[in-house]
Amino acid sequence: MLTSDFVAGKWISRIIQDRNSDIKTRQAVAAQLFFSMLEQVFEHGFFHADPHAGNICLQDDGSIAMIDFGIVGYLSSDFRRHQLSLLNALQSEDVDQAFTALQAILVVPPDANLQNFRVRVERNIRDWTLKQYQPQLRSAERSAGGLLLQNFRAAREAGVYFSSQAARYYRAFVVLDSVIVSLDDHFDHRTRLREYFQKRDRRVISGHAASMVEQIPAPADNLVSRMIEIFPIVLQQLERVILQPPSFEGVFREAHIIVSRFASFFSRLGGLVWIASLALLLLTNLP
């Protein structure tokens, strides 16, 4: 059964063409589009796979509506987990974690030059990160979509390739990103990524906390297990607060990197402590 609904508003393609349109409106729409793609992918598991400007409408109430769902992408839970890890690594400048997450969604033939691909990807990520500290650059010159296209070229030249679901997702992201940078010439992808992760973590923690309250009174084992689920997320939140991008340069940047590494280490150490606690809990309850 086919269903349809009436959408009233202004098409994003018209807003982009109208260079005299309100800059605050353009910036707000760009942010909405960026967050909408992340929410579709990581919180619903499916996404509009052809989000060009002609398929997006700014409604009169300020919300956005998408039309023409002829192409829709679906992502497995494993892919979403690896992609979350990749994006988290990008916004925290962890190149090793970024490549590890990217490698997990690759198809690597026996004759592929994986080492060459790694060198190219790490260089692309470092160059992209440096550009985030150069606000005088146009958004298109430091966009996440540009980084994806560079990594696609590196994959092709190294003989590795992405799975079909990854290729569809990345294509959709590149298309939407071109719309975003056309709307907002100073869109900050890295800051928006951090903002999304912070809001997402708060939603997850709130959901777990509400669930724990509903279970009271409950067996101690259940409450402890829920706390163990929450704790790594709390640690990630703390790490992101510590790893906020510095507003200073020179020697202070070096100090920031050192502090960031210590924060990352203690975050992982805390996770290991909680895993050990879970193991001890299970052992004490064995017959």
Side-chain angles (χ1 to χ4, degrees), residues 23-93:
I23 184 62
K24 290 186 178 180
T25 298
R26 297 167 69 98
Q27 291 172 340
V29 173
Q32 279 193 76
L33 291 174
F34 187 73
F35 291 139
S36 73
M37 172 59 84
L38 296 176
E39 182 177 341
Q40 287 174 62
V41 170
F42 299 119
E43 300 182 38
H44 302 293
F46 65 91
F47 59 95
H48 193 305
D50 192 23
H52 60 77
N55 279 343
I56 309 171
C57 177
L58 175 63
Q59 300 186 99
D60 296 335
D61 62 358
S63 62
I64 58 174
M66 292 187 174
I67 66 166
D68 190 6
F69 284 81
I71 308 177
V72 177
Y74 297 89
L75 300 174
S76 68
S77 58
D78 284 343
F79 180 89
R80 295 200 303 271
R81 185 177 70 254
H82 293 311
Q83 188 62 27
L84 271 173
S85 179
L86 173 60
L87 293 178
N88 186 40
L90 288 177
Q91 62 90 25
S92 61
E93 301 180 18

Side-chain angles (χ1 to χ4, degrees), residues 34-35 38 87-94 125 128-134 139 142-144 173 177 186-198 240 242-247 253 256-257 260:
F34 187 73
F35 291 139
L38 296 176
L87 293 178
N88 186 40
L90 288 177
Q91 62 90 25
S92 61
E93 301 180 18
D94 189 334
I125 293 174
W128 180 81
T129 301
L130 286 174
K131 289 178 180 178
Q132 307 313 305
Y133 293 96
Q134 302 176 55
S139 183
R142 49 192 177 90
S143 71
F173 190 90
D177 193 60
H186 299 285
F187 189 82
D188 190 333
H189 294 77
R190 190 161 159 272
T191 298
R192 293 299 188 180
L193 270 178
R194 179 175 287 105
E195 184 180 341
Y196 168 75
F197 276 113
Q198 290 173 342
R240 290 189 190 109
I242 297 174
L243 301 183
Q244 288 289 336
S247 57
R253 170 63 180 158
H256 172 79
I257 293 173
S260 299

Side-chain angles (χ1 to χ4, degrees), residues 19-20 24 46 53 64 86 88 111 132 141 146 153 181 222 264 279:
R19 303 308 298 181
N20 295 321
K24 290 186 178 180
F46 65 91
I64 58 174
L86 173 60
N88 186 40
D111 59 343
Q132 307 313 305
E141 296 178 78
R153 284 193 290 269
V181 299
N222 289 349
S264 180

